[in-house]
Amino acid sequence: MARKFDFDPEDEEFFSMVGSFGVPKFDNEMHGGIPRGFTLIAFTDTGSGSELFAKQFTSPAEESENTLYVSTNEGQAEIVRIFQKYSWPMDINVRTIGEEYNSTVLERELLASRYRLEGFQLADIQRLAQTRFVDETNQDYLTEVTNEIMALGPYFRAVVDSLDFFLQREDPARVVAMVRMLQAHAQLHRGLLLISVSTNGLDPVIKQELSSIADMVLSFKVRTIGTDFETSMIVSKFRNAPENLKILVFRVTPEEGITPETVERIA
Amino acid sequence: MQPAAVYTRDRCVTGIHGLDEILRGGIPYGSTVLAAGTCGSGKTTLGMEFLVRGALAGEACAHFTATEPSVKLLENIRQYAFFDMNMVDSGLINVFDMDVLYSWLGLEKASFELDDVHALIKAIVDIVNTIGVTRLVIDSVTTLCYKIKSEQLIRDFLFTLGKKLATLGCTTILISEITSATENAHWSSFGVEEAIADGIIVMGDVERMGHLLRFLQVVKMRGTAHSRAKHAIELTPLGVMLTPMLKWGAQSDKTSRWGS
Ligand SMILES: Nc1ncnc2c1ncn2[C@@H]1O[C@H](COP(=O)(O)OP(=O)(O)OP(=O)(O)O)[C@@H](O)[C@H]1O
Ligand SMILES: [Mg+2]
């Protein structure tokens, strides 16, 4: 690292070298938690509980104004409901990209269908004749989210759930470049960054690239056993701590949310 | 019984130097005229001057630009002395950017279906009707029709649009981009525009005495007698100038009529 950041000794003591995952039992298994400066990439199966984990990851919220939760699938109301249910701090920053996207797209579609159905009014025509450029509703959410995270200060905590939204709309190379930038930012500022990516239809090359950027790789799996579902998380990469590579079967409990139960070491 | 008088249709006097003479007074009102030309032949300039002459006479005009962004079009066209930006600012000449119109109508797609074509016709007709447009230029219909994949749909589009604009008394120039303007060339890119248009004006280059000259020729114009000769066309700061080609050739190497 060429750049060096001077951390306040008091801060260093307050934040210590590791932060909590928001899941105490998981912290124990990972020898205290997640080292500050780590970027954690979670590869997720549908229905594996990763969305809950993503929210839970914000719950330690050491500094709420320096904690950011970016959701691309869920709306504000849904998120609030979950946070209330588990009594997690709600004064953190939340950005709901999917909701924003839908509302702008929906708004435009509504307007377009109104124009198509009812035609133009004189005022519309005058405005149209004076409009020289197409309204860029194709907002660059990737750049916005990158900037938002890059703007977070030392010891930040940020979650992007999930990268799928960007991978579906942008050049994957740009998305990977963004993750690389964010990883460097987290490392430099001792931030904690969780990025989830669904394994569904994920290009193996992209998966490989993301895994190599990540300081920690966690896979969320779900499988059926008889009539039951078994959810598990697999730690398949943990920079400088191979002893942390484990398979943890977990349950979701009303008290603790994600709750690891049985643990298996990966030999 | 009416006495057997010679009936002549009312004309839209283009105001373009030489063109009204060729057309024996102008374009019959409400016609849809295809202005087909090779690249750089002066189509946009001709179309814009047609509107400027109308605006000077107090007519409401509309220009739909699909080949170049409206900002660029205005930047280029305002270099001509005949053009006055005030006409745009005051709403006499309404310049519509097709990309903006597409986005307003939810038509930002590669190909148009029947619904989309109807939405487009409705929008154009709406505009013409609401602001009482009597002179309209679509630059170009080639670019626009590029998004309509079936020939039948292109035919429907042009036919319906032409019919509605005629009803509204709007004289329309549809600019068409062609690759060749020689005798046996097609005046349209899709083969259907020329059959539907009431008039066809061809613009291209012709070689005379080692010079590449621009020419304009009225190939057809329903509802009026007209010259079918090639005319030399010059784009001057004051507007388009047309002169018969033969005279030009006969003058051989003497100085040109407009000096140089
Ligand atoms: N200010 C000007 N005065 C005289 N001639 C000009 C001026 N500006 C451009 N020209 C000439 O006009 C030509 C372009 O004219 P115009 O844009 O009307 O043609 P066009 O047929 O619409 O071209 P395109 O196929 O590119 O749309 C230029 O190539 C140039 O030779
Ligand atoms: Mg042009």
Side-chain angles (χ1 to χ4, degrees), chain A residues 1 15 65 137 166 187 234 246:
Chain A
M1 266 272 137
F15 287 100
E65 72 285 354
T137 322
F166 304 106
Q187 193 171 53
I234 302 168
K246 286 172 187 176

Side-chain angles (χ1 to χ4, degrees), chain A residues 47-62:
Chain A
S48 56
S50 64
E51 289 188 345
L52 187 62
F53 180 81
K55 291 184 194 67
Q56 194 158 355
F57 188 80
T58 67
S59 65
E62 296 92 340

Side-chain angles (χ1 to χ4, degrees), chain A residues 10 29 84 124 144 208 243 255:
Chain A
E10 264 181 46
E29 291 300 330
Q84 276 174 338
D124 298 325
E144 277 184 30
Q208 185 49 49
E243 67 277 15
E255 302 78 30

Side-chain angles (χ1 to χ4, degrees), chain A residues 108 111-113 115-122 124-135 138, chain B residues 70-71 74 94-97 99-101 103-108 115-116 119 122-123 126-127 130-131:
Chain A
R108 288 188 67 194
L111 203 58
S113 64
Y115 287 143
R116 288 170 75 138
L117 224 71
E118 298 169 19
F120 291 126
Q121 306 287 313
L122 181 60
D124 298 325
I125 295 171
Q126 284 166 339
R127 207 156 48 83
L128 182 63
Q130 278 153 20
T131 308
R132 298 272 160 257
F133 298 98
V134 173
D135 182 20
N138 295 332
Chain B
S70 54
V71 173
L74 291 169
N94 297 275
V95 176
F96 297 99
D97 194 300
D99 285 336
V100 175
L101 179 62
S103 88
W104 280 35
L105 294 173
L107 291 176
E108 289 160 309
D115 274 5
D116 304 325
K122 184 174 158 44
D126 235 24
I127 289 169
T130 308
I131 52 183

Side-chain angles (χ1 to χ4, degrees), chain B residues 43-109:
Chain B
K43 306 178 295 292
T44 301
T45 310
L46 182 94
M48 203 40 110
E49 194 189 345
F50 170 68
L51 301 184
V52 167
R53 301 296 162 206
L56 285 172
E59 291 185 53
C61 304
H63 183 107
F64 288 85
T65 175
T67 43
E68 55 187 331
S70 54
V71 173
K72 249 192 188 163
L73 167 78
L74 291 169
E75 279 305 304
N76 290 335
I77 213 79
R78 67 193 298 177
Q79 294 177 54
Y80 286 101
F82 71 80
F83 186 80
D84 183 358
M85 200 58 194
N86 282 327
M87 294 175 168
V88 174
D89 298 336
S90 67
L92 264 178
I93 296 180
N94 297 275
V95 176
F96 297 99
D97 194 300
M98 272 321 249
D99 285 336
V100 175
L101 179 62
Y102 289 156
S103 88
W104 280 35
L105 294 173
L107 291 176
E108 289 160 309
K109 41 177 133 177

